[in-house]
Amino acid sequence: MSTVTASRPSAVANEASAQPATPVPTVVETMTMAGALNRALADSLAGDDRVIVFGEDVGALGGVFRITDGLTERFGEQRCFDTPLAESGIVGTAVGMAMNGLVPVVEMQFDAFALPAFEQVVSHVAKLGNRTRGDVRPQLVIRIPYGGGIGGVEHHCDSSEAYYAHTPGLTVVSPSTPQDAYSLLRAAIASPDPVIFMEPKKLYWSKGKVDTSITAELRRASVVRQGSDLTLVSYGPSMPIALEAAAAAEAEGRSVEVIDVRTLTPFDDHTVVESVRRTGRAIVIAEAPGFASVAAEIQARIFEQCFEFLEAPVRRVTGFDTPFASPKFEHWYLPDVDRVLDAVDSLHWEDN
Protein backbone atom coordinates (compact mmCIF):
# COMPACT_ATOMS: atom_id res chain seq x y z
CA MET A 1 0.00 0.00 0.00
CA SER A 2 1.36 3.44 -0.87
CA THR A 3 2.46 5.78 1.88
CA VAL A 4 0.02 8.67 2.30
CA THR A 5 1.76 11.95 1.56
CA ALA A 6 0.94 15.26 3.19
CA SER A 7 1.37 17.35 0.06
CA ARG A 8 -1.58 17.97 -2.22
CA PRO A 9 -1.18 16.40 -5.69
CA SER A 10 -1.25 18.83 -8.60
CA ALA A 11 -3.61 18.58 -11.55
CA VAL A 12 -0.63 17.62 -13.70
CA ALA A 13 0.29 14.81 -11.33
CA ASN A 14 -3.26 13.53 -11.35
CA GLU A 15 -3.31 13.54 -15.16
CA ALA A 16 -0.06 11.59 -15.24
CA SER A 17 -1.45 8.97 -12.86
CA ALA A 18 -4.56 8.34 -14.97
CA GLN A 19 -3.14 5.10 -16.41
CA PRO A 20 -2.46 1.97 -14.34
CA ALA A 21 1.16 1.68 -13.27
CA THR A 22 1.49 -2.05 -13.89
CA PRO A 23 0.02 -4.03 -16.81
CA VAL A 24 -2.27 -6.94 -15.97
CA PRO A 25 -2.79 -10.16 -17.97
CA THR A 26 -5.39 -10.10 -20.73
CA VAL A 27 -8.38 -12.40 -20.28
CA VAL A 28 -11.21 -13.17 -22.72
CA GLU A 29 -14.04 -15.18 -21.20
CA THR A 30 -17.76 -15.18 -20.45
CA MET A 31 -18.59 -13.44 -17.17
CA THR A 32 -21.56 -12.10 -15.29
CA MET A 33 -21.65 -8.36 -14.79
CA ALA A 34 -20.83 -8.97 -11.12
CA GLY A 35 -17.81 -11.03 -12.17
CA ALA A 36 -16.70 -8.35 -14.63
CA LEU A 37 -16.86 -5.66 -11.94
CA ASN A 38 -14.91 -7.91 -9.57
CA ARG A 39 -12.28 -8.46 -12.26
CA ALA A 40 -12.04 -4.71 -12.92
CA LEU A 41 -11.47 -4.02 -9.24
CA ALA A 42 -8.85 -6.79 -8.98
CA ASP A 43 -6.99 -5.60 -12.08
CA SER A 44 -7.03 -2.00 -10.84
CA LEU A 45 -5.71 -3.07 -7.43
CA ALA A 46 -2.99 -5.15 -9.08
CA GLY A 47 -2.05 -2.43 -11.55
CA ASP A 48 -1.83 0.55 -9.18
CA ASP A 49 -0.91 0.24 -5.52
CA ARG A 50 -2.60 3.57 -4.75
CA VAL A 51 -6.03 2.01 -5.35
CA ILE A 52 -7.97 1.08 -2.20
CA VAL A 53 -11.41 -0.55 -1.96
CA PHE A 54 -13.59 -0.11 1.12
CA GLY A 55 -17.19 0.04 2.31
CA GLU A 56 -19.74 -1.85 4.36
CA ASP A 57 -19.17 -5.65 4.29
CA VAL A 58 -16.86 -5.50 1.26
CA GLY A 59 -14.08 -7.39 3.05
CA ALA A 60 -14.58 -10.95 4.28
CA LEU A 61 -18.18 -11.12 3.02
CA GLY A 62 -17.28 -9.78 -0.41
CA GLY A 63 -20.10 -7.22 -0.48
CA VAL A 64 -23.85 -7.77 -0.33
CA PHE A 65 -23.79 -8.61 -4.06
CA ARG A 66 -20.34 -10.28 -3.83
CA ILE A 67 -18.74 -7.71 -6.15
CA THR A 68 -15.63 -7.57 -3.94
CA ASP A 69 -15.47 -11.31 -3.33
CA GLY A 70 -11.91 -12.53 -2.73
CA LEU A 71 -10.24 -9.11 -2.91
CA THR A 72 -9.32 -8.95 0.78
CA GLU A 73 -7.90 -12.47 0.66
CA ARG A 74 -5.82 -11.62 -2.41
CA PHE A 75 -4.68 -8.07 -1.63
CA GLY A 76 -4.88 -7.89 2.16
CA GLU A 77 -6.89 -5.87 4.65
CA GLN A 78 -4.98 -2.68 3.91
CA ARG A 79 -6.21 -2.67 0.30
CA CYS A 80 -9.81 -3.95 0.70
CA PHE A 81 -11.48 -3.50 4.07
CA ASP A 82 -14.77 -3.08 5.93
CA THR A 83 -16.02 0.19 7.38
CA PRO A 84 -18.57 1.16 10.03
CA LEU A 85 -22.17 1.64 8.90
CA ALA A 86 -21.65 5.34 8.24
CA GLU A 87 -21.91 6.37 4.60
CA SER A 88 -21.02 10.02 5.24
CA GLY A 89 -17.89 8.89 7.05
CA ILE A 90 -17.01 6.49 4.23
CA VAL A 91 -17.14 9.20 1.57
CA GLY A 92 -15.52 11.82 3.83
CA THR A 93 -12.63 9.43 4.46
CA ALA A 94 -12.35 8.77 0.73
CA VAL A 95 -12.08 12.51 0.06
CA GLY A 96 -9.23 12.85 2.54
CA MET A 97 -7.43 9.86 1.04
CA ALA A 98 -7.83 11.21 -2.48
CA MET A 99 -6.50 14.61 -1.42
CA ASN A 100 -3.37 12.84 -0.23
CA GLY A 101 -2.64 10.80 -3.33
CA LEU A 102 -4.57 7.57 -2.90
CA VAL A 103 -7.34 6.36 -5.25
CA PRO A 104 -10.31 5.21 -3.15
CA VAL A 105 -13.07 3.06 -4.66
CA VAL A 106 -15.96 2.95 -2.20
CA GLU A 107 -19.16 0.92 -2.27
CA MET A 108 -22.58 2.11 -1.13
CA GLN A 109 -24.60 -1.04 -0.44
CA PHE A 110 -27.83 0.22 -2.04
CA ASP A 111 -28.80 3.39 -3.89
CA ALA A 112 -30.81 5.04 -1.12
CA PHE A 113 -28.21 4.05 1.47
CA ALA A 114 -25.89 6.54 -0.25
CA LEU A 115 -28.12 9.50 0.61
CA PRO A 116 -26.57 10.10 4.07
CA ALA A 117 -23.33 10.78 2.18
CA PHE A 118 -24.95 13.12 -0.34
CA GLU A 119 -23.70 16.28 1.40
CA GLN A 120 -20.13 15.00 1.21
CA VAL A 121 -20.56 14.26 -2.50
CA VAL A 122 -22.12 17.62 -3.40
CA SER A 123 -20.13 19.89 -1.11
CA HIS A 124 -16.71 18.27 -1.33
CA VAL A 125 -16.30 15.51 -3.93
CA ALA A 126 -17.85 17.57 -6.71
CA LYS A 127 -16.43 20.97 -5.76
CA LEU A 128 -12.84 20.38 -4.65
CA GLY A 129 -11.39 20.72 -8.13
CA ASN A 130 -13.11 24.04 -8.73
CA ARG A 131 -12.53 25.29 -5.20
CA THR A 132 -8.77 24.77 -5.49
CA ARG A 133 -8.52 25.95 -9.12
CA GLY A 134 -7.48 22.45 -10.13
CA ASP A 135 -4.75 22.01 -7.53
CA VAL A 136 -6.74 19.21 -5.89
CA ARG A 137 -8.77 16.94 -8.14
CA PRO A 138 -10.03 14.04 -6.01
CA GLN A 139 -9.40 10.85 -7.95
CA LEU A 140 -12.04 8.54 -6.49
CA VAL A 141 -14.95 6.33 -7.50
CA ILE A 142 -18.23 5.88 -5.62
CA ARG A 143 -19.97 2.65 -6.66
CA ILE A 144 -23.74 2.64 -6.19
CA PRO A 145 -25.97 -0.38 -6.96
CA TYR A 146 -29.29 1.07 -8.17
CA GLY A 147 -32.63 0.40 -9.83
CA GLY A 148 -35.35 -2.22 -9.45
CA GLY A 149 -36.13 -5.60 -10.88
CA ILE A 150 -34.85 -7.65 -7.93
CA GLY A 151 -38.03 -7.85 -5.83
CA GLY A 152 -36.70 -5.37 -3.29
CA VAL A 153 -38.53 -2.60 -1.46
CA GLU A 154 -38.10 1.16 -1.27
CA HIS A 155 -34.65 2.26 -0.06
CA HIS A 156 -33.27 -0.73 -1.97
CA CYS A 157 -34.52 -0.10 -5.52
CA ASP A 158 -34.36 3.66 -6.01
CA SER A 159 -33.02 5.29 -9.17
CA SER A 160 -31.04 8.25 -7.84
CA GLU A 161 -28.94 9.06 -10.90
CA ALA A 162 -30.56 12.47 -11.50
CA TYR A 163 -29.27 13.80 -8.17
CA TYR A 164 -25.69 13.14 -9.20
CA ALA A 165 -26.10 14.08 -12.86
CA HIS A 166 -27.48 17.47 -11.72
CA THR A 167 -24.31 18.15 -9.73
CA PRO A 168 -21.52 19.89 -11.69
CA GLY A 169 -18.08 18.39 -11.12
CA LEU A 170 -19.14 14.73 -11.21
CA THR A 171 -18.86 12.17 -13.98
CA VAL A 172 -21.83 9.78 -13.76
CA VAL A 173 -21.54 6.39 -15.45
CA SER A 174 -23.92 3.42 -15.78
CA PRO A 175 -22.95 0.24 -17.69
CA SER A 176 -25.45 -2.22 -19.14
CA THR A 177 -23.23 -5.14 -20.23
CA PRO A 178 -20.44 -7.15 -18.60
CA GLN A 179 -17.93 -5.76 -21.13
CA ASP A 180 -18.88 -2.17 -20.38
CA ALA A 181 -18.96 -2.91 -16.65
CA TYR A 182 -15.33 -4.00 -16.83
CA SER A 183 -14.04 -1.39 -19.25
CA LEU A 184 -15.94 1.58 -17.81
CA LEU A 185 -14.99 0.76 -14.21
CA ARG A 186 -11.32 0.53 -15.19
CA ALA A 187 -11.66 3.88 -16.96
CA ALA A 188 -13.49 5.39 -13.98
CA ILE A 189 -10.74 4.36 -11.55
CA ALA A 190 -8.09 5.74 -13.90
CA SER A 191 -9.94 9.03 -14.38
CA PRO A 192 -8.35 12.04 -12.66
CA ASP A 193 -11.80 13.32 -11.69
CA PRO A 194 -14.43 11.88 -9.32
CA VAL A 195 -16.85 9.34 -10.79
CA ILE A 196 -20.23 8.15 -9.55
CA PHE A 197 -20.51 4.60 -10.91
CA MET A 198 -24.15 3.49 -11.00
CA GLU A 199 -24.50 -0.30 -11.21
CA PRO A 200 -27.89 -1.77 -12.29
CA LYS A 201 -28.56 -4.47 -9.72
CA LYS A 202 -30.90 -6.53 -11.85
CA LEU A 203 -28.14 -6.95 -14.45
CA TYR A 204 -25.51 -8.25 -12.01
CA TRP A 205 -26.26 -11.82 -13.10
CA SER A 206 -26.49 -11.14 -16.83
CA LYS A 207 -23.71 -12.80 -18.82
CA GLY A 208 -21.54 -11.76 -21.73
CA LYS A 209 -18.07 -12.08 -23.17
CA VAL A 210 -15.47 -9.81 -21.59
CA ASP A 211 -12.13 -8.93 -23.17
CA THR A 212 -10.00 -7.21 -20.55
CA SER A 213 -7.83 -5.64 -23.27
CA ILE A 214 -10.76 -3.52 -24.48
CA THR A 215 -10.66 0.00 -23.11
CA ALA A 216 -13.58 2.40 -22.83
CA GLU A 217 -13.64 6.16 -23.12
CA LEU A 218 -15.77 7.89 -20.54
CA ARG A 219 -18.25 10.41 -21.95
CA ARG A 220 -18.96 8.34 -25.07
CA ALA A 221 -22.31 6.75 -25.89
CA SER A 222 -22.49 3.53 -27.88
CA VAL A 223 -24.70 2.64 -30.84
CA VAL A 224 -25.58 -0.96 -29.98
CA ARG A 225 -28.13 -1.52 -32.75
CA GLN A 226 -28.40 0.28 -36.06
CA GLY A 227 -31.64 1.41 -37.66
CA SER A 228 -33.15 4.09 -39.88
CA ASP A 229 -36.73 4.81 -38.70
CA LEU A 230 -36.46 5.52 -34.98
CA THR A 231 -33.86 6.01 -32.24
CA LEU A 232 -34.31 4.46 -28.79
CA VAL A 233 -32.05 6.10 -26.19
CA SER A 234 -31.48 4.39 -22.85
CA TYR A 235 -28.87 3.38 -20.27
CA GLY A 236 -28.14 0.93 -17.48
CA PRO A 237 -31.06 -1.21 -16.28
CA SER A 238 -33.42 -0.25 -19.14
CA MET A 239 -31.13 -1.28 -21.98
CA PRO A 240 -32.46 -4.88 -22.22
CA ILE A 241 -36.00 -3.48 -22.58
CA ALA A 242 -34.82 -1.08 -25.29
CA LEU A 243 -33.22 -3.90 -27.26
CA GLU A 244 -36.19 -6.22 -26.83
CA ALA A 245 -38.57 -3.47 -27.94
CA ALA A 246 -36.38 -2.70 -30.96
CA ALA A 247 -36.56 -6.33 -32.05
CA ALA A 248 -40.34 -6.38 -31.58
CA ALA A 249 -40.73 -3.13 -33.55
CA GLU A 250 -38.60 -4.56 -36.34
CA ALA A 251 -41.01 -7.49 -36.58
CA GLU A 252 -43.71 -4.87 -37.18
CA GLY A 253 -41.70 -3.22 -39.95
CA ARG A 254 -39.84 -0.48 -38.06
CA SER A 255 -36.05 -0.16 -38.35
CA VAL A 256 -34.92 0.87 -34.87
CA GLU A 257 -31.54 2.22 -33.75
CA VAL A 258 -30.61 1.78 -30.07
CA ILE A 259 -28.13 3.99 -28.23
CA ASP A 260 -26.64 3.14 -24.83
CA VAL A 261 -25.76 6.48 -23.24
CA ARG A 262 -23.30 4.83 -20.78
CA THR A 263 -22.06 8.17 -19.37
CA LEU A 264 -24.98 10.29 -18.16
CA THR A 265 -22.85 13.34 -17.56
CA PRO A 266 -20.91 14.79 -19.30
CA PHE A 267 -23.45 13.81 -21.96
CA ASP A 268 -22.46 12.67 -25.46
CA ASP A 269 -24.70 14.94 -27.53
CA HIS A 270 -22.95 14.11 -30.79
CA THR A 271 -23.83 10.41 -30.93
CA VAL A 272 -27.47 10.92 -29.95
CA VAL A 273 -28.04 13.98 -32.13
CA GLU A 274 -26.45 12.41 -35.20
CA SER A 275 -28.75 9.41 -34.87
CA VAL A 276 -31.98 11.34 -34.28
CA ARG A 277 -31.29 13.75 -37.13
CA ARG A 278 -31.04 10.72 -39.38
CA THR A 279 -34.04 8.77 -38.09
CA GLY A 280 -36.36 11.71 -37.31
CA ARG A 281 -37.96 10.04 -34.30
CA ALA A 282 -36.80 9.30 -30.74
CA ILE A 283 -37.94 7.65 -27.52
CA VAL A 284 -36.02 7.85 -24.23
CA ILE A 285 -36.37 4.89 -21.84
CA ALA A 286 -35.40 4.91 -18.15
CA GLU A 287 -36.53 3.33 -14.87
CA ALA A 288 -36.37 6.54 -12.84
CA PRO A 289 -39.48 8.72 -12.38
CA GLY A 290 -39.90 10.97 -15.40
CA PHE A 291 -40.25 14.40 -13.78
CA ALA A 292 -36.99 16.41 -13.67
CA SER A 293 -35.09 13.28 -14.67
CA VAL A 294 -32.10 12.30 -16.82
CA ALA A 295 -34.66 11.12 -19.39
CA ALA A 296 -36.24 14.60 -19.37
CA GLU A 297 -32.83 16.20 -19.93
CA ILE A 298 -32.06 13.89 -22.85
CA GLN A 299 -35.49 14.63 -24.31
CA ALA A 300 -34.87 18.39 -24.01
CA ARG A 301 -31.44 18.17 -25.63
CA ILE A 302 -32.90 16.25 -28.58
CA PHE A 303 -35.64 18.85 -29.03
CA GLU A 304 -33.14 21.71 -28.88
CA GLN A 305 -30.70 20.24 -31.38
CA CYS A 306 -32.94 18.18 -33.67
CA PHE A 307 -36.21 20.11 -33.84
CA GLU A 308 -36.15 20.75 -37.59
CA PHE A 309 -35.36 17.07 -38.25
CA LEU A 310 -38.16 15.57 -36.13
CA GLU A 311 -41.15 13.83 -37.68
CA ALA A 312 -42.91 13.49 -34.30
CA PRO A 313 -42.57 14.62 -30.67
CA VAL A 314 -39.84 12.95 -28.63
CA ARG A 315 -41.45 10.49 -26.21
CA ARG A 316 -40.35 9.21 -22.81
CA VAL A 317 -41.09 5.83 -21.23
CA THR A 318 -40.08 5.98 -17.57
CA GLY A 319 -40.95 4.89 -14.08
CA PHE A 320 -43.93 6.65 -12.52
CA ASP A 321 -43.73 9.74 -10.32
CA THR A 322 -44.38 7.75 -7.15
CA PRO A 323 -42.23 6.04 -4.53
CA PHE A 324 -40.92 2.71 -5.80
CA ALA A 325 -43.56 -0.03 -5.84
CA SER A 326 -43.59 -3.07 -3.57
CA PRO A 327 -42.15 -6.31 -5.01
CA LYS A 328 -45.63 -7.56 -5.92
CA PHE A 329 -46.30 -4.53 -8.11
CA GLU A 330 -42.88 -3.47 -9.42
CA HIS A 331 -43.56 -5.03 -12.83
CA TRP A 332 -46.32 -2.42 -13.27
CA TYR A 333 -43.92 0.38 -12.26
CA LEU A 334 -40.93 -0.45 -14.45
CA PRO A 335 -40.90 0.32 -18.20
CA ASP A 336 -41.66 -2.73 -20.32
CA VAL A 337 -41.79 -3.64 -24.00
CA ASP A 338 -45.51 -2.98 -24.33
CA ARG A 339 -45.16 0.57 -23.01
CA VAL A 340 -42.29 1.22 -25.41
CA LEU A 341 -44.25 -0.17 -28.37
CA ASP A 342 -47.22 2.02 -27.44
CA ALA A 343 -44.86 5.00 -27.60
CA VAL A 344 -43.55 3.79 -30.96
CA ASP A 345 -47.10 3.62 -32.33
CA SER A 346 -47.71 7.25 -31.29
CA LEU A 347 -44.92 8.69 -33.46
CA HIS A 348 -47.02 9.93 -36.38
CA TRP A 349 -46.27 7.20 -38.86
CA GLU A 350 -47.70 7.61 -42.36
CA ASP A 351 -49.13 4.08 -42.25
CA ASN A 352 -51.13 4.71 -39.06
Side-chain angles (χ1 to χ4, degrees):
M1 177 175 172
S2 298
T3 302
V4 177
T5 59
S7 60
R8 297 189 302 183
S10 67
V12 173
N14 269 349
E15 291 283 7
S17 65
Q19 297 300 320
T22 305
V24 295
T26 296
V27 171
V28 180
E29 62 182 59
T30 298
M31 304 181 191
T32 62
M33 179 180 283
L37 292 167
N38 178 271
R39 180 79 192 200
L41 291 170
D43 287 351
S44 295
L45 285 162
D48 187 343
D49 66 3
R50 299 172 305 132
V51 175
I52 299 173
V53 175
F54 58 96
E56 297 166 6
D57 294 324
V58 303
L61 180 64
V64 67
F65 294 104
R66 305 299 187 265
I67 306 301
T68 57
D69 187 39
L71 298 183
T72 297
E73 181 180 2
R74 178 177 173 186
F75 295 98
E77 293 183 351
Q78 288 188 313
R79 302 288 306 283
C80 180
F81 54 88
D82 292 331
T83 66
L85 305 181
E87 286 80 7
S88 183
I90 292 170
V91 175
T93 300
V95 171
M97 288 179 166
M99 291 176 69
N100 286 279
L102 297 177
V103 183
V105 182
V106 301
E107 176 181 303
M108 305 282 104
Q109 277 195 339
F110 289 91
D111 25 56
F113 290 12
L115 296 180
F118 193 65
E119 190 277 331
Q120 290 282 355
V121 174
V122 172
S123 296
H124 304 294
V125 174
K127 291 184 171 64
L128 264 175
N130 184 70
R131 184 184 301 146
T132 62
R133 298 183 181 181
D135 285 343
V136 178
R137 295 169 64 183
Q139 186 177 350
L140 62 90
V141 177
I142 301 174
R143 295 180 39 247
I144 304 177
Y146 82 117
I150 63 166
V153 295
E154 62 181 11
H155 304 113
H156 295 75
C157 292
D158 291 350
S159 293
S160 54
E161 62 266 31
Y163 301 136
Y164 303 105
H166 183 72
T167 305
L170 300 176
T171 298
V172 183
V173 177
S174 183
S176 67
T177 67
Q179 179 65 67
D180 277 350
Y182 177 86
S183 300
L184 289 171
L185 184 54
R186 291 298 309 276
I189 295 171
S191 172
D193 295 311
V195 178
I196 307 298
F197 200 85
M198 310 290 292
E199 300 172 3
K201 296 189 294 290
K202 72 178 181 183
L203 300 184
Y204 274 151
W205 300 277
S206 63
K207 292 184 178 181
K209 184 170 288 187
V210 176
D211 183 343
T212 61
S213 69
I214 295 177
T215 59
E217 184 179 359
L218 298 180
R219 311 181 183 191
R220 288 290 180 267
S222 174
V223 178
V224 297
R225 191 182 197 278
Q226 294 187 331
S228 58
D229 297 334
L230 161 68
T231 302
L232 299 183
V233 184
S234 190
Y235 58 87
S238 296
M239 279 302 301
I241 295 298
L243 289 167
E244 188 178 348
E250 182 178 48
E252 298 177 355
R254 315 293 188 199
S255 176
V256 181
E257 187 147 291
V258 180
I259 294 178
D260 186 347
V261 171
R262 304 200 304 177
T263 301
L264 309 186
T265 181
F267 186 73
D268 180 3
D269 287 283
H270 175 77
T271 299
V272 174
V273 167
E274 189 280 331
S275 175
V276 177
R277 286 182 175 180
R278 181 164 40 77
T279 65
R281 294 176 174 85
I283 297 172
V284 186
I285 308 166
E287 280 192 13
F291 186 81
S293 62
V294 171
E297 174 65 22
I298 296 172
Q299 183 184 41
R301 297 174 90 90
I302 294 172
F303 269 125
E304 289 172 351
Q305 299 176 70
C306 304
F307 182 77
E308 64 270 30
F309 298 89
L310 292 174
E311 301 289 342
V314 180
R315 304 296 189 193
R316 282 180 292 160
V317 179
T318 68
F320 299 113
D321 295 324
T322 66
F324 193 83
S326 66
K328 184 177 179 180
F329 298 109
E330 73 171 353
H331 66 285
W332 295 111
Y333 178 91
L334 298 172
D336 61 17
V337 171
D338 287 340
R339 288 175 60 193
V340 176
L341 292 179
D342 286 344
V344 172
D345 289 342
S346 74
L347 294 180
H348 299 182
W349 302 97
E350 293 181 359
D351 55 358
N352 281 354

